[in-house]
Amino acid sequence: MTSDFHVNMNEYLPLRDVVFNTLRQAILRGELKPGERLMEIALSNRLGVSRTPVREAIRMLELEGLVIMIPRKGAQVAQITEQDMTDVLEVRLGLEELAVRFACERITDEELEKLGEAVQEFEKSITNADLSALAEADVKFHEIIYQATHNQRLVQIINNIREQMYRYRIEYLKDVESRKGLLKEHYAIWAALKNRDKDNAVKYICTHIVNQQEAIRRSLDGSE
Amino acid sequence: MTSDFHVNMNEYLPLRDVVFNTLRQAILRGELKPGERLMEIALSNRLGVSRTPVREAIRMLELEGLVIMIPRKGAQVAQITEQDMTDVLEVRLGLEELAVRFACERITDEELEKLGEAVQEFEKSITNADLSALAEADVKFHEIIYQATHNQRLVQIINNIREQMYRYRIEYLKDVESRKGLLKEHYAIWAALKNRDKDNAVKYICTHIVNQQEAIRRSLDGSE
DNA sequence: ATACAAAATTTTGTATACAAAATGCACGGA
DNA sequence: TCCGTGCATTTTGTATACAAAATTTTGTAT
């Protein structure tokens, strides 16, 4: 008898990855504020591990740009300057445009199907008050488009940039005003992809992203 | 008297960064071949350091996608597939186009001046047989354009992609045939930027990059 | 009281030690 | 001969120890 019980062999995760995810979330959610120092001993005590996994997690966060290292001084949560945010947003817009172009050429019928479902799911979540569900539906919608580029490198880079945005983005969905607009845009993007209408796909993805950017800017202006 | 000797205080680099750069170069230049295992003890002996900096360097390489980790089995150099190369080239083209767009809007007179000098330098290097000088002149030309985007994030991402390309051999400049073409393209790009002629700038940068890509593809086909 | 210097403390950077898991190999039995 | 079990080795994962640098504190002299 061959083994037919599929134990989840992924139940094991190295501690460094656990620490990495924990710290990452903390930074993105703003629990660890920009400029705050990340001291290894303090963190390792707090998390109940030794310094080694903490250090390795910090190395990873460093390469993601979420923390900056000052030699012999240690790590601190990266500052977010206005200029930096502008830079990220510009690059993101460019990449999203590129992605939707490729998606328009390459999206499969199956993926189009899934995209349609994602739009509906997003619509359902709008009436619902559950914010995290809405955010998740939004992520899912875009993720399908990225995958439809059939370019894993592009997917990786865009996801990285998107996650950087998380730092700014948390608040933008709260703006009830804009939700309806978002839905319309999702729908328009889906339709354009379905018709392989590259110009419109680009047009709508751009307004979509620009709208998000402006929502983020507003929420930042309001809070500072 | 204030200290007026500017000793380079950056002479210090953590060992992890030294190891990181060393391994990175080795992978990109093909000295460490895809699939090859990276064993910590062997590497630390070879480099004359302990396991700790090696481990941290591997964490960084992992996040760059140059090595993959198999849990409790260790790191190995990531495979490069034909598909992966295509993906990288596509993304690079998109980013270069984006960069030249921004550069067209934002390049300063001073930067235009430097770009003109870079073109001349490239021209001089063409007659010369020194290949590395030619490569350097080429890098310099493009670097000026990247800087002219005045978007540090974009500069960072493009440079990363460019270095990834290194893996696919930097032999493309050897093709004497194409050198004259390269010069013409450099000149055309410079002229377009000078005239703030975005359409032509994009057009010429695209042919420029595409030509390079085809040279790389040819050299790969030839060698495999 | 203030400024400067030296010692103590903190914190990172590096090395090593120990534990646990995986791999390989040999030996024994069917 | 072939297969499986178990032991030995290798290698990663984690913890800790030690060294060097930076910061803070403390003490002293002006």
Side-chain angles (χ1 to χ4, degrees), chain A residues 12 16 55-56 59-60 63-64 69 72 84 87-88 90 102 106 151-154 164, chain B residues 12 16 55-56 59-60 63-64 69 72 84 87-88 90-91 102 106 151-153 164:
Chain A
Y12 166 80
R16 59 166 174 271
R55 283 180 65 82
E56 300 193 351
R59 291 293 88 72
M60 297 195 268
L63 234 72
E64 279 214 333
M69 291 295 301
R72 293 205 163 106
D84 190 55
D87 288 357
V88 172
E90 276 183 359
F102 288 143
R106 299 168 190 172
N151 181 324
Q152 281 313 116
R153 184 67 59 139
L154 183 55
Q164 305 269 333
Chain B
Y12 167 80
R16 59 166 172 274
R55 283 180 66 80
E56 301 193 351
R59 291 293 88 72
M60 298 194 268
L63 236 71
E64 277 213 334
M69 290 296 300
R72 292 208 163 100
D84 190 54
D87 288 356
V88 172
E90 278 183 358
V91 175
F102 287 143
R106 299 170 191 171
N151 181 324
Q152 281 314 115
R153 185 67 61 137
Q164 303 271 332

Side-chain angles (χ1 to χ4, degrees), chain A residues 79-123:
Chain A
Q79 296 287 347
I80 43 178
T81 65
E82 186 77 25
Q83 180 61 49
D84 190 55
M85 192 178 82
T86 307
D87 288 357
V88 172
L89 293 174
E90 276 183 359
V91 175
R92 184 183 174 202
L93 186 56
L95 288 172
E96 291 271 358
E97 187 178 328
L98 191 64
V100 85
R101 276 221 164 81
F102 288 143
C104 220
E105 295 170 4
R106 299 168 190 172
I107 193 166
T108 64
D109 291 343
E110 197 185 351
E111 285 164 343
L112 270 171
E113 187 76 22
K114 283 205 294 184
L115 195 63
E117 288 167 19
V119 174
Q120 292 185 331
E121 204 172 309
F122 188 79
E123 184 163 20

Side-chain angles (χ1 to χ4, degrees), chain B residues 88-119:
Chain B
V88 172
L89 292 174
E90 278 183 358
V91 175
R92 185 184 173 202
L93 185 56
L95 287 173
E96 290 271 358
E97 188 179 327
L98 191 64
V100 84
R101 276 223 164 79
F102 287 143
C104 221
E105 295 170 3
R106 299 170 191 171
I107 194 167
T108 65
D109 291 343
E110 195 185 352
E111 285 164 341
L112 270 172
E113 187 76 23
K114 283 204 293 182
L115 194 64
E117 289 167 19
V119 175

